[in-house]
Amino acid sequence: MCFLLKNKEKVIDPVVHEEEDNFSISNGVHIINKCKNVSVSGNAVILEATDSSFDEITGKATVQMFENCILERLSGKAKIGLMKSGRIEKVTGKSRITTINDCKIDYVNEKSKIGTMNNGFIRFIDDKAELATLTNGKVMFARGKSRVVSFINGEITGFMGKAELVSLLNGHVTYCLDKAKIGTINSGKIDLIADNAEISTLNKGVVEEMLGASMVSANMDGEIVTKGKNSLILYSPTISEQRKAEYKKQKETKVEETKVEETNREEAKEEEKIEEAPVENVNQVSIFDDKKIKDPKKSKSRKKVESKK
């Protein structure tokens, strides 16, 4: 049998380890079955690991299939292709697991990545670790700057710190705290969003309670059961219609007030003209029309002459 490695070296007949204990592997191609306390490093390739226990898989080692095994630490740039079942205490460094069918993992941290998790349990996702797709299963806490990209179904207890959930297609999140972010919710349920946590778009789904300075940027067709006085919904079609109606009403009211003010100004101007008109006539007569001014002495003398006659 011939196997082709990444560096295109051909290896014939893998080394089979059956019920061996306390040994290390740093190169070559191997099959491990019912072994204990195995350490794998370097560029070693494990085609199958079954019913065995590992102290560490590190370096650039690759395990293609991992079934019913116990691993204390996956680190470095080591990679597990398919994890059918088993337990890992810590996934760290820049290590990767492509697919998990079932598992129990205590910690996923640093810059490690998990591709697709179809079922199983992860206790903590920390630092800048990433879970690309959670098809089903349970994650207790996502913390630090960790990231869950696509959450299809299952349960996540809490997002804290600056953890991020990019897309919630379905599933249940118990709480979202601190400065955690959720991108798009297409369905599913969030029990509590509080502190400065944020949801970008709530297309559908239910948020039971919003507290603190939490924010929903756009609520398109979701349900928010309880909203605290300091929590904020920036946009929703319902709120938008209300705001439009209020704006329209305010605008109409302002137009009416402007019209009334203009009418009052015009009336005031007319009144001023009427009051000022007689004063202007008197001034014109007294200054410019001398002929019309009567001398009181002349008028008295005329009266005396007329009386003598």
Side-chain angles (χ1 to χ4, degrees):
M1 188 179 289
C2 178
F3 298 92
L4 189 66
L5 299 181
K6 291 179 181 178
N7 57 8
K8 297 184 179 180
E9 292 180 0
K10 291 183 179 180
V11 179
I12 300 172
D13 293 332
V15 179
V16 178
H17 303 270
E18 188 86 28
E19 296 184 351
E20 297 179 20
D21 298 342
N22 305 314
F23 64 97
S24 299
I25 297 170
S26 59
N27 53 49
V29 181
H30 306 263
I31 293 174
I32 296 175
N33 183 37
K34 295 181 181 179
C35 296
K36 294 180 181 179
N37 303 326
V38 182
S39 294
V40 183
S41 61
N43 292 310
V45 176
I46 310 298
L47 298 179
E48 296 178 10
T50 311
D51 300 323
S52 299
S53 66
F54 294 83
D55 293 334
E56 186 174 29
I57 299 174
T58 188
K60 294 184 179 180
T62 301
V63 178
Q64 292 187 359
M65 195 273 289
F66 186 94
E67 183 175 7
N68 195 29
C69 294
I70 296 172
L71 170 62
E72 288 186 13
R73 184 183 178 92
L74 180 69
S75 62
K77 294 184 179 180
K79 180 180 176 182
I80 295 176
L82 172 62
M83 182 175 180
K84 284 188 174 182
S85 61
R87 177 173 178 173
I88 301 175
E89 287 187 15
K90 184 175 282 189
V91 180
T92 188
K94 293 183 179 180
S95 59
R96 295 190 177 193
I97 301 174
T98 305
T99 305
I100 296 173
N101 284 346
D102 196 8
C103 72
K104 186 174 181 181
I105 300 174
D106 288 334
Y107 292 95
V108 181
N109 66 354
E110 294 186 2
K111 294 183 179 181
S112 55
K113 291 185 179 181
I114 295 175
T116 302
M117 178 174 168
N118 294 320
N119 203 359
F121 173 80
I122 297 175
R123 195 179 302 277
F124 295 104
I125 302 176
D126 283 336
D127 303 328
K128 294 183 179 180
E130 179 178 298
L131 171 58
T133 305
L134 178 60
T135 304
N136 204 357
K138 183 175 181 178
V139 175
M140 283 194 69
F141 302 106
R143 308 181 298 188
K145 293 182 179 180
S146 61
R147 199 164 176 250
V148 178
V149 180
S150 181
F151 182 15
I152 297 172
N153 207 355
E155 184 177 350
I156 297 176
T157 302
F159 283 90
M160 295 176 287
K162 293 183 179 181
E164 181 182 5
L165 170 60
V166 178
S167 176
L168 174 60
L169 301 176
N170 200 3
H172 180 209
V173 176
T174 305
Y175 52 81
C176 189
L177 305 176
D178 300 328
K179 293 183 179 180
K181 290 184 179 180
I182 298 176
T184 303
I185 300 177
N186 292 319
S187 188
K189 183 181 178 183
I190 312 288
D191 287 348
L192 172 67
I193 174 171
D195 300 330
N196 291 299
E198 179 183 344
I199 297 172
S200 294
T201 306
L202 179 60
N203 287 330
K204 279 189 178 292
V206 179
V207 176
E208 287 288 343
E209 191 172 15
M210 290 181 68
L211 293 176
S214 58
M215 181 173 71
V216 175
S217 297
N219 178 16
M220 304 309 294
D221 194 22
E223 181 183 359
I224 298 172
V225 179
T226 304
K227 177 183 167 297
K229 62 180 182 179
N230 294 323
S231 300
L232 184 63
I233 301 171
L234 291 182
Y235 171 82
S236 76
T238 305
I239 293 174
S240 179
E241 290 300 321
Q242 290 175 355
R243 286 176 179 170
K244 284 179 182 178
E246 288 174 2
Y247 175 74
K248 188 177 180 182
K249 189 175 179 180
Q250 288 175 0
K251 193 173 181 181
E252 289 174 353
T253 304
K254 194 171 182 180
V255 169
E256 289 297 325
E257 289 176 353
T258 305
K259 286 182 180 178
V260 170
E261 287 177 1
E262 288 178 355
T263 304
N264 292 337
R265 283 197 204 100
E266 289 177 0
E267 289 177 355
K269 285 180 181 178
E270 291 295 327
E271 289 177 359
E272 287 176 3
K273 286 180 181 179
I274 292 169
E275 289 175 358
E276 290 174 359
V279 177
E280 290 176 359
N281 291 337
V282 170
N283 291 337
Q284 288 175 359
V285 169
S286 62
I287 297 170
F288 303 104
D289 197 357
D290 294 337
K291 293 179 181 179
K292 293 183 180 180
I293 298 174
K294 294 180 179 181
D295 188 351
K297 291 181 180 180
K298 288 183 180 181
S299 60
K300 285 181 181 179
S301 60
R302 284 176 186 172
K303 287 180 181 178
K304 287 180 181 179
V305 171
E306 287 176 358
S307 62
K308 285 179 181 181
K309 289 180 179 180

